[in-house]
Amino acid sequence: MEEDTDFRIRFSSLCFITDHVGFHGTIKSSPSDFVVIEIDEQGQLVNKTSDEPIYKVNKILPGPNNLAKKTKLDPQNLSFEERSNQEVSTLAGCSGDDQNYEPGSEKEDTIEDGTSKGEEENIDVLGSLLDEKTNELLNQFACDVKEKWNSKTELIGPSPEFSLGRILDKNQRAILHSAIRQKFPFLITVGKNSEIVVKPNLEYKELCHLVSEEEAFDFLKYLDAKKENSKFTFKPDINKDHRKAVHHFINKKFGNLVETKSFPGPNYSADNPNVVITVRFREKAHKHRKRSLPECQERKVIYTAFTLRKENLEMFEAVGFLAIKLGVIPSDFSYAGLKDKKAITYQAMVVRKVAPERLKNIEKEIEKKRMNVFNIRSVDDSLRLGQLKGNHFDIVIRNLKNQINDSANLRERILEAVENVMNKGFVNYYGPQRFGMGRKVHTDQIGLALLKSEMVKAVKLFLTPEDLDDPVNRAKKYFLQTEDAKGTLSLMPEFKVRERALLESLHRFGVTEEGCIQAWFSFPHSMRIFYVHAYSSKIWNEAVSYRLATYGSRVVEGDLVCLDEDIDDEHLPSSKVHLVTEEEESANTYAIHQVVLPVLGYNIQYPKNKLGKWYQEVLSRDGLQTCRFKIPALKLNVPGCYRKILKHPCNLSYQLIEDHDIDVMKEGSHIDEATLSLLISFDLDASCYATVCLREIMKHDF
């Protein structure tokens, strides 16, 4: 694939709004030179410790949230639930049809070896609701089924049945359904006109061909208990093909109810590649069912908020690592925005289905990956992209020097540049990190392929290697040559979480259009939409350059302006966007800082001047003239938004410092030469880029 030379000039050809000379310098010499701290919707820096009771990293504070309910919040506990609701139920019916059994009230007990408290209760329930003879016959029926299976004798003819007779009380029937299946997971129960019929569970027998009888027994008990926020983990397994067979069986039989995921097992290494399969309930499995208010409250999904500090770590890599350590999937994490890799960043995050105590427990492990978590606390909901006020930046620019052929005083040049941008602002381009830093493929190209529903092409673009000879690029090169997902997985390093997730799905579903659609679902929604947004961002950058080159700083007829200065332009409704008239242009009614341009989507209007025609020509150029900016196959909708073409940094402060620690060789002798560094701090609104602001200040592309 040819190098994207267009991208190389993309940022060097962007416009400036100020006219000072600028200066040269180096940013991001080290991660500590570029510190990013998110500002929440209340205007608070998220790296500050919360005043409210929280679960701190160093110790868990005593308090009401830390008592009694701890066991209930821990999804690692596999619990028995007594419940009463629907009359008809079968374990084999986990496909989600209307006859599935629905939990009601629940009791918390952990499934352990031997007879657990839950099993004792089942025995008591059966003894209290069934007469002695029926109870004995039920036990004998269960023993007969097990003996037949253990003797490897095939059941001939119709599947044997045992009737408990008619149970007129609906609640008693529901309790019996649950108690029998918890005591005998290898049996299923079916309701027929108030009669309960017991049959062998053929899924149990089939599962026993793949895992141990003990695992099958415990798994089906877990499955029947339907304990939300819980998970079940099979024993470690080093055989990939065998794990694939287990995944396939569970997804085929119970895929509408549960989902499976592989994680490195205890003491995982290249010499000991043991992997465990973890099963958990899908959130949607309970959504369509009607529940009472108390039950809804009891089943409320757990959300834990925290502040993540990461250093020199890509955002998605950090989320992938946290997901593995917490036994969840990346899509369980939500955040307000993406952060730089080569930096120290602080941001708010929320993870669902994980209790605060569990997050606290992985503190030491994640420190090895240059991550820390604090301000850990329970919250009511996840975060949304854009749910922040902005970001605070503390930046060191080193090795300051004049522009080529500029002999003016360097300090004066720096002062002039900073003051100019403080007063006039900067062109609000999307920064280069929005598009990835590769030389061959960029995120906007992947987004364009997704918008055109070219799913296989999008996958291959994602896995296109750079011209580097390292394990990651060798693995990518092998995939493009062979389309062998399984072989590529064996080559792809463990730390490449996104690539491995995609490859695992391709191995399972195949490198076809449908298989690639499934593979994209291995990424969370926020990441799938990220690629589409990258394409929209690229077009917006081109649009603002065309706008400024065509009309300059004048506000002209057909421009779009923002009528409400207090609304964040990323969330600006169309009702607050005004089309400039000829009379308003003549009267200079509006200023350039009020002009907005649309970010592509299905719910935006275009300018009514040369720029509107330009948008249509670009969409036609890229094959999107009929695009509705909806990708149903990936559950992606792109409504679009409006973005101001100019922004100003807020709370800006700066300081010049001299560094005398560098020895410079000059005509054979060592002398100390003072070099200047600029310490600069400022706040930017959400979705603004510090590198773009610095570009305007320095008149220098990075």
Side-chain angles (χ1 to χ4, degrees), residues 68 94 216 295 332 433 567 628 658:
C94 287
E295 185 183 353
D332 286 322
Q433 58 267 50
I567 298 180
R628 299 177 58 215
E658 292 184 353

Side-chain angles (χ1 to χ4, degrees), residues 141 145 149 155 159-161 186-188 198-203:
F141 176 78
V145 171
W149 283 348
L155 295 172
S159 178
E161 296 181 357
F186 51 89
L187 301 178
I188 59 174
V198 185
K199 299 179 179 183
N201 183 357
L202 299 181
E203 272 77 16

Side-chain angles (χ1 to χ4, degrees), residues 9-28:
I9 63 171
R10 197 179 290 175
F11 287 91
S12 62
S13 62
L14 299 185
C15 299
F16 295 104
I17 198 67
T18 52
D19 56 4
H20 58 266
V21 174
F23 54 92
H24 279 288
T26 304
I27 65 168
K28 298 188 176 182

Side-chain angles (χ1 to χ4, degrees), residues 43 98 114 235 276-277 290 294 340 357 398 420 623 662:
D98 292 336
K235 293 177 181 177
V276 297
I277 295 175
K290 294 181 180 179
D340 299 72
E357 305 97 309
R398 300 188 184 277
N420 212 3
I662 300 175

Side-chain angles (χ1 to χ4, degrees), residues 39-53:
I39 305 171
D40 65 23
E41 290 183 306
Q42 287 70 47
Q44 301 298 312
L45 297 176
V46 300
N47 67 331
K48 304 300 182 185
T49 303
S50 175
D51 293 327
E52 61 184 283

Side-chain angles (χ1 to χ4, degrees), residues 364-575:
K364 294 298 180 184
E365 293 180 80
I366 68 174
E367 283 181 356
K368 300 172 186 176
K369 290 286 287 185
R370 305 178 302 281
M371 288 190 285
N372 301 95
V373 290
F374 55 99
N375 283 345
I376 304 171
R377 63 204 183 278
S378 294
V379 292
D380 294 329
D381 206 349
S382 56
L383 283 169
R384 304 182 314 277
L385 283 174
Q387 194 177 345
L388 73 165
K389 188 172 183 180
N391 293 283
H392 173 79
F393 297 89
D394 293 315
I395 298 170
V396 181
I397 307 172
R398 300 188 184 277
N399 306 317
L400 299 176
K401 57 186 71 173
N402 288 82
Q403 299 276 19
I404 297 173
N405 298 324
D406 177 27
S407 59
N409 181 280
L410 178 58
R411 292 175 183 267
E412 291 179 359
R413 283 293 191 219
I414 294 170
L415 175 63
E416 172 195 39
V418 173
E419 294 293 331
N420 212 3
V421 172
M422 284 177 64
N423 294 326
K424 295 183 179 179
F426 60 94
V427 185
N428 191 24
Y429 289 115
Y430 288 96
Q433 58 267 50
R434 182 84 164 188
F435 311 100
M437 304 308 291
R439 295 173 64 87
K440 284 195 170 182
V441 174
H442 304 281
T443 54
D444 58 278
Q445 294 170 273
I446 298 171
L448 176 59
L450 292 176
L451 281 169
K452 296 168 78 171
S453 294
E454 296 172 341
M455 300 301 172
V456 176
K457 180 179 179 180
V459 164
K460 290 184 176 181
L461 285 170
F462 179 81
L463 291 173
T464 295
E466 297 292 328
D467 290 328
L468 298 170
D469 187 25
D470 57 52
V472 173
N473 286 291
R474 284 197 294 270
K476 290 181 175 181
K477 185 177 181 180
Y478 175 81
F479 177 80
L480 289 192
Q481 291 172 341
T482 65
E483 293 189 3
D484 175 12
K486 181 179 179 181
T488 309
L489 262 174
S490 66
L491 299 173
M492 188 65 68
E494 290 291 331
F495 71 89
K496 299 303 288 184
V497 178
R498 285 182 294 167
E499 285 80 356
R500 291 187 62 84
L502 193 80
L503 288 165
E504 285 174 0
S505 291
L506 292 174
H507 176 42
R508 186 181 307 178
F509 299 109
V511 189
T512 62
E513 283 293 319
E514 182 59 35
C516 289
I517 288 172
Q518 294 300 321
W520 281 111
F521 276 103
S522 66
F523 292 170
H525 179 273
S526 57
M527 186 175 172
R528 297 197 303 275
I529 200 74
F530 167 77
Y531 290 104
V532 180
H533 285 166
Y535 172 75
S536 298
S537 302
K538 174 204 169 187
I539 301 305
W540 192 93
N541 277 6
E542 294 177 2
V544 73
S545 290
Y546 179 82
R547 165 63 180 75
L548 291 172
T550 303
Y551 298 118
S553 296
R554 295 184 299 120
V555 180
V556 301
E557 179 184 1
D559 269 339
L560 300 174
V561 293
C562 171
L563 294 180
D564 191 336
E565 295 291 321
D566 296 328
I567 298 180
D568 175 16
D569 52 317
E570 293 285 321
H571 301 101
L572 190 65
S574 292
S575 61

